[in-house]
């Protein structure tokens, strides 16, 4: 099987300072990978470098495109990369306002990607928006409300619907449950798990919450000072951590 | 004649503006940045259109200036006087006789010909501004033809009003490439943009010039199931009985009486001169 | 089906001066299809550790851990995940689920993961839950709020939902009443009958006698404390 994403020796520098470096891994279709580490460990830099929001200094990010097979997205043309960002890729921001148009209705937010790829049938766009509102458990009657009238958890679910409506194959998530109440978090986690399974999504989730990755991620990558210090099965890394830093990280989690 | 250089602007400036106009004509619908000058009138009064007209006029031209279709409103009168004083060109109120027509928010009803130039005054040249405030981003969207956002605006219209409620400044796609703001003309005028005359657009405050060459395809954006409609008030003109012209609604008294009249004053006058009579012709005359 | 060869396991505690604690060495055993093996040995002898090594939850330090043709000690994460999805079931002592998910869906999930239609999966889940005396009114609730015994039975139902060819059972009968204990033992017998290779830990000697074909004392794998 061809990996959906192959990252090879990816590095991003901020001047002389390391953002992230020497990152390599393969992600296969349907796999969910977690990236954990403390603030400043380079996990968000890595995510943004992979998703094309930052330009890496070295390395390749090879995506298995539908049309042409594996292509390095770092060197591909900007229009092609942006097109990928609207179709096969999705990016869920930690703060919903970074990923939503706050002055546009919920339906318009979901419909934008459809219109961006050429859907010109209002009835069809609206029906799909309504369907996705249902799938992320937002009442259809809220379709014409603006996200500013939504709670934090609803905004985050709307952001997910907006991202998944075009049926992407790879989702980047930056702390998707950060800043939410635990009850809202649980609901979102359940939703994400079901969507991942139903749609066969591959996902890369950056978080500092080990409980989140235990429930969502198949595999784990632990980062410290811009480098990957440990990788493996999520439960193996968490239950039998090999690296000193991972052991410290796991043992530092507060027990409820 | 006056002590002004011909048409107020110095020759260097006019050359700079002409280069922008030519580039605009070469890339239909593309917003060309230009070094907009201070004009002796406030922004919002047509400084962009005036600069484009100044760079376009020759001493042999005949100028017509309209504001919302009318030749006799303050803005139109002022600009016409401005060019009478600074360029000494002939002016007219008759559409057919004009070689350059500067307009604010209308396209004349009479069909324009190949030897005419229509100059629009534009307040906000960027059609994507409403949804994406970053100029860096909108320029990239134009460059990459990422126009999905424009339809989001129309979607919002339909979801809120049950139909595309945008009635003026209705976005168009020029020559199958650039999504363009047609300036705040009523959408009734949009189909007329497929015309024989040259169309030039000047935005003074925003420092942009764009153009539509003659016979260029101009398509109003829409949805398959909500097609574009060039709407107007469902009335004949109360003065000249025209059924095909864009109408202004005029409130007559406190009792709610109203009349509909052609917004294009020259069109209305020429029809009345030809003997057409509307519902209120006698009283109005 | 399950074949261990000379497996060892140690923990290195980097944050406590790099202390290395060997917990298992020279572990070898084999389980054939249809066979059930009971792990015995005193508390702390390493029964659960051995199971976790087989499941891939703990990383073996050396040796081969073959399950259905995959060496768990060396396999890539996605191969181990495929193994866990298709081949190797594990009933642990603790239920770990996403909060808020109804019990019925928790039990049906392993079936959905292997592509069973949702309705069929829920039917099977309902049968198992009913058999283990979880009242139907609880099925739409999350098991996180259940009592310890109920959670354990939900865990067993989940473990037996899919017909895994190999299974690891960690104290499946502990703290169950006689009736539920009998149900669990019957589930184990049924799994054996369809050819599953099973490794179990049973403190309940009668249960062990009933289902295990033989026993392996893990004390034999405990490193001799030399230092």
């Amino acid at each position: 099987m061809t990996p959906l994403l192959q990252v090879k020796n990816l590095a991003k520098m901020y001047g002389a300072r390391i953002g992230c470096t020497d990152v390599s891994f393969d992600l296969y279709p349907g796999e969910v990978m977690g990236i954990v580490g403390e603030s400043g460990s380079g996990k968000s830099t890595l995510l943004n470098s992979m998703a094309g929001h930052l330009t890496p200094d070295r390395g390749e990010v090879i995506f298995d495109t539908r049309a042409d097979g594996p292509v390095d997205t770092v060197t591909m043309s900007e229009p092609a990369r942006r097109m990928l960002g609207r179709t096969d890729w999705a990016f869920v921001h930690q703060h919903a306002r970074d990923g939503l148009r706050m002055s546009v209705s919920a339906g318009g937010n979901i419909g934008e990607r459809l219109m961006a790829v050429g859907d010109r049938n209002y009835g069809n766009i609206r029906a799909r928006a309504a369907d996705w509102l249902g799938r992320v458990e937002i009442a259809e009657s809220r379709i014409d409300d603006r996200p500013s009238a939504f709670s934090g958890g609803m905004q985050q679910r709307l952001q997910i619907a907006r991202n998944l409506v075009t049926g992407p194959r790879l989702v980047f998530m930056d702390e998707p449950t950060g800043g939410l109440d635990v009850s809202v978090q649980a609901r979102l986690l359940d939703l994400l798990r079901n969507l991942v399974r139903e749609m066969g999504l591959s996902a890369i989730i950056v978080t500092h919450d080990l409980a989140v990755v235990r429930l969502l991620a198949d595999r784990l990558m632990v980062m410290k000072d811009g480098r990957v210090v440990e990788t493996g099965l999520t439960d193996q890394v968490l239950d039998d951590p090999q690296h000193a830093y991972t052991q410290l990280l796991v043992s530092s989690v507060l027990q409820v | 004649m006056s002590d002004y250089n011909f048409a107020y602007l110095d020759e260097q400036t006019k050359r700079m503006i002409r280069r922008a106009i030519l580039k605009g004509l070469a890339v239909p619908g593309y917003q060309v940045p230009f070094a907009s000058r201070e004009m002796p009138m406030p922004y919002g009064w047509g400084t962009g259109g005036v600069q484009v007209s100044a760079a376009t006029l020759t001493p042999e031209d005949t100028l017509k200036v309209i504001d919302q279709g009318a030749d006799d409103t303050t803005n139109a009168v002022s600009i016409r006087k401005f060019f009478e004083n600074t360029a000494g060109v002939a002016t007219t109120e008759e559409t057919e006789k004009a070689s350059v027509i500067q307009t604010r928010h209308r396209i004349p009803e009479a069909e324009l010909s190949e030897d005419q130039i229509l100059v629009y005054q534009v307040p906000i040249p960027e059609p994507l501004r409403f949804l994406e405030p970053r100029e860096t981003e909108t320029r990239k969207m134009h460059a990459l033809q990422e126009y999905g956002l424009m339809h989001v605006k129309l979607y919002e219209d339909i979801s809120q009003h049950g139909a595309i409620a945008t009635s003026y400044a209705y976005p168009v796609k020029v020559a199958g490439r650039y999504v363009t703001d047609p300036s705040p003309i009523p959408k009734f005028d949009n189909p007329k943009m497929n015309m024989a005359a040259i169309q030039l657009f000047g935005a003074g405050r925003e420092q942009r010039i764009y153009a539509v060459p003659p016979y260029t395809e101009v398509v109003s954006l829409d949805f398959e199931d909500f097609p574009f409609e060039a709407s107007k008030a469902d009335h004949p003109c109360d003065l000249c009985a025209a059924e095909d012209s864009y109408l202004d609604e005029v409130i007559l008294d406190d009792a709610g009486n109203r009349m509909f009249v052609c917004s294009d004053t020259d069109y209305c006058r020429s029809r009345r001169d030809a003997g057409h009579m509307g519902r209120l012709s006698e009283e109005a005359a | 089906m399950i074949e261990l060869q000379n497996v060892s396991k140690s923990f290195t505690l980097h944050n406590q001066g790099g202390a290395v604690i060997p917990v298992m060495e020279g572990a070898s055993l084999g389980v054939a299809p249809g066979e059930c093996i009971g792990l015995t040995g005193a508390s702390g002898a390493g029964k659960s550790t051995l199971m976790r090594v087989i499941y891939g939850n703990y990383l073996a330090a050396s040796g081969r851990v073959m399950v259905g043709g995959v060496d768990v000690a060396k396999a890539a994460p996605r191969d181990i995940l495929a193994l866990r999805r298709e081949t190797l079931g594990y009933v642990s002592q603790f239920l770990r689920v996403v909060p808020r998910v109804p019990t019925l869906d928790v039990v049906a999930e392993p079936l959905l993961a292997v592509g069973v239609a949702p309705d069929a999966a829920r039917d099977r889940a309902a049968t198992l839950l009913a058999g283990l005396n979880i009242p139907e009114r609880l099925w739409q609730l999350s098991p996180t709020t259940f009592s310890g015994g109920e959670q354990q039975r939900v865990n067993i139902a989940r473990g037996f939902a899919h017909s895994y060819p190999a299974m690891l059972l960690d104290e499946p009968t502990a703290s169950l009443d006689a009736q539920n204990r009998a149900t669990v033992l019957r589930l184990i017998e049924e799994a054996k009958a369809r050819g599953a290779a099973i490794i179990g830990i049973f403190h309940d000697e009668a249960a062990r006698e009933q289902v295990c074909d033989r026993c392996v004392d893990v004390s034999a794998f405990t490193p001799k404390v030399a230092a």
Side-chain angles (χ1 to χ4, degrees), chain C residues 22-26 218-227:
Chain C
V23 292
M24 194 168 76
E25 60 183 38
V218 298
S219 310
F221 310 142
T222 308
K224 307 298 167 272
V225 184

Side-chain angles (χ1 to χ4, degrees), chain A residues 144-163:
Chain A
D144 293 328
D145 291 351
R146 292 185 175 183
S148 47
F150 287 4
S151 69
M154 280 168 78
Q155 288 182 1
Q156 201 58 297
R157 295 203 299 279
L158 179 62
Q159 193 193 177
I160 288 166
R162 169 183 157 91
N163 268 286

Side-chain angles (χ1 to χ4, degrees), chain B residues 40-264:
Chain B
M41 63 183 73
Y43 288 129
W45 286 60
T47 56
V50 164
Q51 289 179 78
V52 169
S53 293
T56 306
L57 283 171
T58 65
E60 295 74 35
D61 272 315
T62 304
L63 178 70
K64 169 182 164 82
V65 182
I66 52 173
D67 173 7
Q68 304 272 22
D71 294 88
D72 54 0
T73 58
T74 314
N75 197 230
V77 170
S78 303
I79 293 173
R80 195 163 58 232
K81 283 234 173 85
F82 174 78
F83 282 116
E84 280 169 1
N85 288 336
T86 61
V89 291
T91 57
T92 180
E93 294 193 3
E94 292 175 54
T95 303
E96 288 79 4
K97 289 189 178 158
S99 56
V100 175
I101 303 170
Q102 181 170 335
T103 176
R104 175 174 172 269
H105 307 181
R106 270 314 308 276
I107 296 176
E109 303 293 352
E111 193 172 325
L112 300 184
S113 63
E114 285 180 12
D115 46 13
Q116 290 180 306
I117 296 174
L118 185 60
V119 177
Y120 296 78
Q121 301 171 198
V122 182
I124 297 170
E126 179 49 74
L128 299 164
R129 177 79 44 90
F130 167 77
L131 293 150
E132 177 53 69
R134 290 168 295 178
E135 179 81 11
T136 48
E137 187 64 17
T138 54
R139 295 186 75 157
K140 197 167 269 182
M141 290 159 81
H142 281 296
L144 304 178
Q145 271 190 284
E146 291 182 2
Y147 290 135
L149 204 51
M150 207 64 247
H151 274 84
V152 172
K153 183 172 187 267
L154 301 179
Y155 169 94
E156 291 289 284
D157 253 16
I158 302 174
S159 69
Q160 280 163 33
H161 308 289
I164 298 177
T166 301
S167 55
Y168 63 95
Y170 191 104
V172 294
K173 195 167 205 178
V174 175
R177 177 58 181 84
Y178 285 97
V179 165
T180 303
D181 179 73
S183 86
I185 58 172
K187 65 178 172 182
F188 173 82
D189 283 344
N190 272 24
K192 293 191 220 158
M193 291 182 76
N194 295 285
M195 65 165 70
I198 294 173
Q199 300 172 75
L200 304 177
F201 298 77
R205 180 179 44 211
E206 302 280 334
Q207 314 204 341
R208 293 290 183 275
I209 285 171
Y210 52 104
V212 177
Y215 304 112
T216 301
E217 186 190 47
V218 178
V219 178
S220 303
L221 302 181
D222 62 2
F223 287 102
E224 293 159 6
D225 44 350
F226 283 84
F228 172 80
E229 268 179 81
S231 60
K232 66 183 268 290
D234 190 16
H235 273 271
C237 173
D238 282 331
L239 296 180
C240 75
E243 304 260 3
D244 57 354
S245 72
Y246 189 73
L247 302 173
D248 287 336
E249 182 181 7
V250 182
I251 304 294
L252 297 176
D253 54 31
D254 289 347
N257 287 309
R258 63 189 66 190
M259 67 185 291
F260 290 91
V261 293
C262 293
S263 104
D264 186 336

Side-chain angles (χ1 to χ4, degrees), chain A residues 193 235 239-240 242 247, chain C residues 9 12 14 57 84 109:
Chain A
R193 262 166 61 105
D235 60 283
D239 292 341
D240 185 16
Q242 308 291 308
Q247 291 185 357
Chain C
K9 173 66 196 163
T12 308
H14 294 284
N57 181 230
R84 289 178 179 181
E109 197 188 354

Side-chain angles (χ1 to χ4, degrees), chain A residues 29-108:
Chain A
E31 266 188 328
V32 178
M33 193 176 81
I35 303 176
V36 297
E38 60 200 6
S39 302
S41 61
K43 54 192 197 300
S44 290
T45 297
L46 173 61
L47 191 75
N48 284 309
S49 300
M50 290 188 288
H53 298 172
L54 291 173
T55 307
D57 293 301
R58 280 192 305 280
E60 296 164 68
V61 178
I62 299 167
F63 182 72
D64 186 16
T65 59
R66 284 181 216 238
D68 306 317
V71 177
D72 183 9
T73 61
V74 176
T75 52
M76 83 182 354
S77 71
E78 190 179 9
R81 190 165 53 242
R82 282 171 71 115
M83 181 52 103
L84 209 53
R86 292 198 299 273
T87 52
D88 263 354
W89 285 8
F91 196 103
V92 176
H93 294 264
Q94 174 176 7
H95 301 292
R97 18 187 91 240
D98 295 337
L100 291 173
R101 292 193 190 277
M102 299 305 280
S103 59
V104 168
S105 70

